[in-house]
Amino acid sequence: MTCAQSAPADGEFFRDRTVVVTGGASGIGRAVVEALLGARARVAVFDLRPDALSGLARQHGERLRVGAVDVADRPALEDAMAAVADAWGGISHLVNSAGIIGRRAPLAALDEADLERVLATNLKSVFYAGSAFVRMGAGLDARSIVNMSSIAARTGGMAGNMAYAASKGAVATLTIAMAKELAPDIRVNALAPGIIDTPMQLDSIGDPAAVAALSGIVPLRRLGTAAEVAGAAIWLLSPAAAYITGTILDVAGGR
Ligand SMILES: NC(=O)c1ccc[n+]([C@@H]2O[C@H](COP(=O)([O-])OP(=O)(O)OC[C@H]3O[C@@H](n4cnc5c(N)ncnc54)[C@H](O)[C@@H]3O)[C@@H](O)[C@H]2O)c1
């Protein structure tokens, strides 16, 4: 018996509100994009693989903008966000979903370039996007940010993924600090997904059977879906979560 749910769509609140989603071409970010488009939001996606969204772009026309942007490249990300704010009158919400696990390696074999890439993609990008977001929404109401942490922040992650786990711990701490600084105008929360069935898991582990076997360590006895994490993100962005800020919400099947 499973208890899968699909992402809810709040038709009225998100209608014509502008949302930037980093990493929105795949997995959890993509599910967030689909839920927001279903709720009639205007969505800008910055990803290294924006071509993956061409089908969605055809379907949603001017409601979806996609850009080939490396979130670790601060000037490029700021320029892309400024173009969205100019075109659509500011940015109401930000979902920082871009992330990488990095190359699996023991601490003794730490590779400097890989460490830098993981920290820049998963952590520095949240500073960069958050900083630009704060400056690009004067006059807009009910603004909010959802960052993507991970339960790896408290478990230490899978063996060999130390940089990833540390980056996600820092994202959780940064979320709390951002929430305090940006209150009462902007709410900031994070999700801590557990093991979610997305391309990231398969890319990291390599074998679909090994990914599926991970369900054995989850109390709910299955992997989560991208849509279930997206549902939590949409909820945190919405007025239903109006009194929630600085929270790290597990979406982890009890892990
Ligand atoms: N899948 C899981 O089990 C899981 C668990 C906990 C946390 N998370 C986090 O959720 C987020 C989404 O993960 P996912 O599972 O959907 O992974 P995914 O690989 O399916 O999607 C990640 C997206 O980020 C993009 N991206 C990577 N580096 C980028 C960069 N430098 N600039 C722009 N875009 C970049 C990728 O192109 C991809 O489209 C990540 O931050 C991840 O760490 C995932």
Side-chain angles (χ1 to χ4, degrees):
M1 186 78 172
T2 63
C3 39
Q5 294 169 3
S6 59
D10 181 336
E12 290 317 305
F13 175 71
F14 289 107
R15 182 178 291 274
D16 295 333
R17 297 180 75 88
T18 295
V19 190
V20 165
V21 183
T22 71
S26 174
I28 294 167
R30 186 180 177 115
V32 169
V33 170
E34 289 172 356
L36 289 168
L37 289 171
R40 308 289 293 157
R42 293 183 293 202
V43 184
V45 177
F46 301 130
D47 198 294
L48 295 176
R49 303 180 304 131
D51 49 310
L53 292 170
S54 56
L56 272 183
R58 274 194 299 279
Q59 197 183 333
H60 292 277
E62 81 269 3
R63 287 191 174 276
L64 176 65
R65 293 169 65 110
V66 297
V69 178
D70 180 349
V71 293
D73 180 342
R74 184 176 191 178
L77 183 59
E78 291 207 349
D79 286 353
M81 289 179 68
V84 169
D86 286 348
W88 283 342
I91 302 171
S92 290
H93 306 282
L94 169 65
V95 178
N96 285 305
S97 192
I100 54 172
I101 292 188
R103 223 170 8 177
R104 184 171 287 202
L107 184 58
L110 182 71
D111 179 87
E112 177 60 26
D114 196 54
L115 176 64
E116 178 53 35
R117 187 75 195 149
V118 170
L119 294 179
T121 303
N122 296 0
L123 175 60
K124 287 185 178 178
S125 68
V126 179
F127 282 96
Y128 300 157
S131 173
F133 175 81
V134 169
R135 291 179 263 119
M136 294 173 188
L140 297 175
D141 68 340
R143 302 182 76 209
S144 59
I145 299 173
V146 170
N147 296 325
M148 214 55 73
S149 179
S150 166
I151 63 163
R154 60 176 162 74
T155 66
M158 306 269 184
N161 293 339
M162 197 178 273
Y164 176 80
S167 74
K168 294 301 181 178
V171 167
T173 305
L174 174 59
T175 297
I176 297 164
M178 286 172 72
K180 287 185 174 159
E181 180 179 309
L182 302 181
D185 300 326
I186 301 172
R187 293 184 302 108
V188 188
N189 293 290
L191 293 175
I195 307 168
I196 312 300
D197 192 7
T198 69
M200 173 179 276
Q201 287 296 347
L202 192 54
D203 290 350
S204 170
I205 294 170
D207 171 16
V211 174
L214 291 173
S215 61
I217 60 171
V218 181
L220 287 186
R221 290 290 180 270
R222 63 175 178 84
L223 306 193
T225 67
E228 287 171 318
V229 183
I234 301 297
W235 179 75
L236 282 173
L237 294 177
S238 79
Y243 200 56
I244 299 177
T245 196
T247 289
I248 318 300
L249 177 65
D250 283 8
V251 185
R255 247 195 111 212

